[in-house]
PDB file of all heavy atoms in Angstrom:
ATOM      1  N   ASP A  80      27.702   4.503  -5.244  1.00 96.00           N
ATOM      2  CA  ASP A  80      28.752   3.463  -5.254  1.00 96.00           C
ATOM      3  C   ASP A  80      29.706   3.656  -4.095  1.00 96.00           C
ATOM      4  O   ASP A  80      30.160   2.696  -3.448  1.00 96.00           O
ATOM      5  CB  ASP A  80      29.528   3.510  -6.579  1.00 96.00           C
ATOM      6  CG  ASP A  80      28.604   3.116  -7.755  1.00 96.00           C
ATOM      7  OD1 ASP A  80      27.576   2.456  -7.493  1.00 96.00           O
ATOM      8  OD2 ASP A  80      28.947   3.440  -8.891  1.00 96.00           O
ATOM      9  N   ARG A  81      30.035   4.929  -3.827  1.00 96.00           N
ATOM     10  CA  ARG A  81      30.989   5.209  -2.752  1.00 96.00           C
ATOM     11  C   ARG A  81      30.418   4.843  -1.399  1.00 96.00           C
ATOM     12  O   ARG A  81      31.054   4.217  -0.563  1.00 96.00           O
ATOM     13  CB  ARG A  81      31.345   6.733  -2.785  1.00 96.00           C
ATOM     14  CG  ARG A  81      32.762   7.010  -2.355  1.00 96.00           C
ATOM     15  CD  ARG A  81      33.180   8.415  -2.702  1.00 96.00           C
ATOM     16  NE  ARG A  81      32.308   9.414  -2.140  1.00 96.00           N
ATOM     17  CZ  ARG A  81      31.861  10.522  -2.799  1.00 96.00           C
ATOM     18  NH1 ARG A  81      32.270  10.719  -4.048  1.00 96.00           N
ATOM     19  NH2 ARG A  81      31.082  11.375  -2.236  1.00 96.00           N
ATOM     20  N   LEU A  82      29.115   5.180  -1.203  1.00 95.00           N
ATOM     21  CA  LEU A  82      28.459   4.797   0.044  1.00 95.00           C
ATOM     22  C   LEU A  82      28.405   3.276   0.164  1.00 95.00           C
ATOM     23  O   LEU A  82      28.590   2.723   1.264  1.00 95.00           O
ATOM     24  CB  LEU A  82      27.052   5.366   0.093  1.00 95.00           C
ATOM     25  CG  LEU A  82      26.930   6.879   0.442  1.00 95.00           C
ATOM     26  CD1 LEU A  82      25.525   7.345   0.113  1.00 95.00           C
ATOM     27  CD2 LEU A  82      27.248   7.096   1.890  1.00 95.00           C
ATOM     28  N   SER A  83      28.126   2.606  -0.936  1.00 95.00           N
ATOM     29  CA  SER A  83      27.975   1.141  -0.921  1.00 95.00           C
ATOM     30  C   SER A  83      29.277   0.433  -0.503  1.00 95.00           C
ATOM     31  O   SER A  83      29.243  -0.626   0.083  1.00 95.00           O
ATOM     32  CB  SER A  83      27.593   0.621  -2.280  1.00 95.00           C
ATOM     33  OG  SER A  83      26.387   1.224  -2.718  1.00 95.00           O
ATOM     34  N   GLU A  84      30.411   1.074  -0.840  1.00 95.00           N
ATOM     35  CA  GLU A  84      31.683   0.485  -0.420  1.00 95.00           C
ATOM     36  C   GLU A  84      31.857   0.578   1.087  1.00 95.00           C
ATOM     37  O   GLU A  84      32.482  -0.269   1.720  1.00 95.00           O
ATOM     38  CB  GLU A  84      32.878   1.223  -1.098  1.00 95.00           C
ATOM     39  CG  GLU A  84      33.105   0.711  -2.522  1.00 95.00           C
ATOM     40  CD  GLU A  84      34.159   1.558  -3.217  1.00 95.00           C
ATOM     41  OE1 GLU A  84      35.050   2.106  -2.547  1.00 95.00           O
ATOM     42  OE2 GLU A  84      34.029   1.664  -4.458  1.00 95.00           O
ATOM     43  N   GLU A  85      31.270   1.604   1.665  1.00 94.00           N
ATOM     44  CA  GLU A  85      31.444   1.878   3.102  1.00 94.00           C
ATOM     45  C   GLU A  85      30.423   1.082   3.910  1.00 94.00           C
ATOM     46  O   GLU A  85      30.725   0.603   5.002  1.00 94.00           O
ATOM     47  CB  GLU A  85      31.200   3.362   3.300  1.00 94.00           C
ATOM     48  CG  GLU A  85      32.040   3.996   4.358  1.00 94.00           C
ATOM     49  CD  GLU A  85      31.773   5.508   4.359  1.00 94.00           C
ATOM     50  OE1 GLU A  85      31.624   6.092   3.275  1.00 94.00           O
ATOM     51  OE2 GLU A  85      31.683   6.040   5.475  1.00 94.00           O
ATOM     52  N   ILE A  86      29.185   0.949   3.383  1.00 94.00           N
ATOM     53  CA  ILE A  86      28.075   0.355   4.138  1.00 94.00           C
ATOM     54  C   ILE A  86      27.673  -0.946   3.428  1.00 94.00           C
ATOM     55  O   ILE A  86      27.115  -0.941   2.327  1.00 94.00           O
ATOM     56  CB  ILE A  86      26.859   1.328   4.127  1.00 94.00           C
ATOM     57  CG1 ILE A  86      27.240   2.685   4.625  1.00 94.00           C
ATOM     58  CG2 ILE A  86      25.698   0.705   4.938  1.00 94.00           C
ATOM     59  CD1 ILE A  86      27.521   2.777   6.131  1.00 94.00           C
ATOM     60  N   PRO A  87      27.909  -2.101   4.066  1.00 95.00           N
ATOM     61  CA  PRO A  87      27.520  -3.380   3.456  1.00 95.00           C
ATOM     62  C   PRO A  87      26.025  -3.466   3.161  1.00 95.00           C
ATOM     63  O   PRO A  87      25.220  -3.005   3.974  1.00 95.00           O
ATOM     64  CB  PRO A  87      27.921  -4.411   4.528  1.00 95.00           C
ATOM     65  CG  PRO A  87      28.888  -3.731   5.404  1.00 95.00           C
ATOM     66  CD  PRO A  87      28.588  -2.281   5.388  1.00 95.00           C
ATOM     67  N   ALA A  88      25.678  -4.025   2.036  1.00 93.00           N
ATOM     68  CA  ALA A  88      24.307  -4.072   1.560  1.00 93.00           C
ATOM     69  C   ALA A  88      23.387  -4.761   2.602  1.00 93.00           C
ATOM     70  O   ALA A  88      22.213  -4.407   2.744  1.00 93.00           O
ATOM     71  CB  ALA A  88      24.201  -4.817   0.236  1.00 93.00           C
ATOM     72  N   GLY A  89      23.910  -5.752   3.279  1.00 93.00           N
ATOM     73  CA  GLY A  89      23.094  -6.527   4.251  1.00 93.00           C
ATOM     74  C   GLY A  89      22.521  -5.649   5.374  1.00 93.00           C
ATOM     75  O   GLY A  89      21.496  -5.967   5.958  1.00 93.00           O
ATOM     76  N   LEU A  90      23.240  -4.555   5.669  1.00 95.00           N
ATOM     77  CA  LEU A  90      22.716  -3.679   6.737  1.00 95.00           C
ATOM     78  C   LEU A  90      21.365  -3.079   6.340  1.00 95.00           C
ATOM     79  O   LEU A  90      20.517  -2.819   7.181  1.00 95.00           O
ATOM     80  CB  LEU A  90      23.721  -2.536   7.011  1.00 95.00           C
ATOM     81  CG  LEU A  90      25.121  -2.932   7.467  1.00 95.00           C
ATOM     82  CD1 LEU A  90      25.879  -1.712   8.013  1.00 95.00           C
ATOM     83  CD2 LEU A  90      25.117  -4.030   8.513  1.00 95.00           C
ATOM     84  N   LEU A  91      21.163  -2.823   5.034  1.00 94.00           N
ATOM     85  CA  LEU A  91      19.860  -2.264   4.587  1.00 94.00           C
ATOM     86  C   LEU A  91      18.774  -3.283   4.764  1.00 94.00           C
ATOM     87  O   LEU A  91      17.627  -2.908   5.052  1.00 94.00           O
ATOM     88  CB  LEU A  91      19.983  -1.779   3.137  1.00 94.00           C
ATOM     89  CG  LEU A  91      21.117  -0.752   2.870  1.00 94.00           C
ATOM     90  CD1 LEU A  91      21.059  -0.305   1.415  1.00 94.00           C
ATOM     91  CD2 LEU A  91      21.010   0.449   3.781  1.00 94.00           C
TER      92      LEU A  91
END
Side-chain angles (χ1 to χ4, degrees):
Chain A
D80 294 340
R81 214 166 56 221
L82 283 166
S83 302
E84 278 174 30
E85 215 175 321
I86 307 288
L90 300 193
L91 303 184

